[in-house]
Amino acid sequence: MERVVFVGAESTGKSTLSEYLARAYDTVAVPEIGRFIWEDKEGRLGPDDYVDIAVKHRAAEDAAMTHARRWLFVDTNALTTLLLGIEFRQVGELPPADLLRCADECRARYAHTFVCADDIPYEEQDVRENEAWRGRIQQLVLKDLDARRIPYTVVQGSVEERARQVRRVLDAAAA
């Protein structure tokens, strides 16, 4: 089993794509755990909450691995959790060591990292910021992946187009 993660700013189609591919490959997808905690706490999070998100998300991935078939599709990871905690100014100037450790481990944790482009219409929701915020976060995600030297593939277009792009990479890796 290998983990495949989808990262990017909010409203870039990560959830939709991970669920779509899980159905296509007859496997499972792990949802973004941070969304549930964010909604439960109405966006009022502290540093320990971000650690909790990262740890619970990893635990959900580990549990899902027992049900996965070849690929486990993962919506978001600790890198994004860390980045959002910093940008929302909720983790402080020095993020918790456990959160940094989880983020650092992302390089080896995932077989493939895909960045969902922000080329789809922005979907307004009460828990989201706005389209300008999405563009800013998208650039930070790309910059962070580059700084950490994590290889990634940007996927663009409709869900079907993105899925074809992912399939090409995964099928080539499996060959």
Side-chain angles (χ1 to χ4, degrees):
M1 287 341 126
E2 291 187 290
R3 290 175 171 94
V4 175
V5 67
F6 298 95
V7 298
E10 60 190 23
S11 190
T12 56
K14 299 178 300 293
S15 301
T16 301
L17 185 57
S18 61
E19 292 165 9
Y20 181 96
L21 286 163
R23 286 190 302 276
Y25 279 93
D26 191 28
T27 188
V28 293
V30 177
E32 178 187 358
I33 302 301
R35 177 182 300 179
F36 306 125
I37 295 172
W38 177 270
E39 289 173 356
D40 185 52
K41 295 193 172 215
E42 299 177 343
R44 292 186 295 273
L45 304 178
D48 291 340
D49 294 312
Y50 283 90
V51 172
D52 192 39
I53 290 168
V55 169
K56 285 182 176 175
H57 191 90
R58 289 168 56 100
E61 287 179 25
D62 293 344
M65 283 295 278
T66 62
H67 305 290
R69 302 176 79 196
R70 180 64 180 116
W71 306 109
L72 175 67
F73 295 105
V74 181
D75 176 358
T76 308
N77 63 14
L79 289 173
T80 304
T81 301
L82 171 63
L83 196 100
L84 290 174
I86 291 169
E87 289 305 304
F88 281 124
R89 293 178 172 79
Q90 293 179 316
V91 297
E93 291 198 24
L94 183 59
D98 287 340
L99 180 56
L100 291 171
R101 180 185 46 76
C102 288
D104 289 341
E105 290 173 358
C106 286
R107 187 177 208 302
R109 188 167 177 85
Y110 304 98
H112 303 280
T113 298
F114 292 94
V115 178
C116 292
D118 59 355
D119 63 337
I120 59 175
Y122 182 78
E123 186 178 308
E124 295 284 340
Q125 289 183 2
D126 290 342
V127 296
R128 291 190 171 149
E129 294 294 318
N130 57 45
E131 194 164 0
W133 171 265
R134 176 177 79 161
R136 182 167 170 259
I137 296 301
Q138 189 73 357
Q139 292 308 308
L140 290 173
V141 167
L142 293 168
K143 183 178 176 182
D144 190 56
L145 290 170
D146 289 338
R148 292 174 186 275
R149 296 187 177 160
I150 295 175
Y152 61 88
T153 303
V154 176
V155 294
Q156 301 174 306
S158 68
V159 174
E160 294 79 13
E161 291 168 327
R162 290 170 180 222
R164 280 192 296 276
Q165 294 164 44
V166 170
R167 280 181 171 273
R168 278 194 296 273
V169 172
L170 297 183
D171 290 349

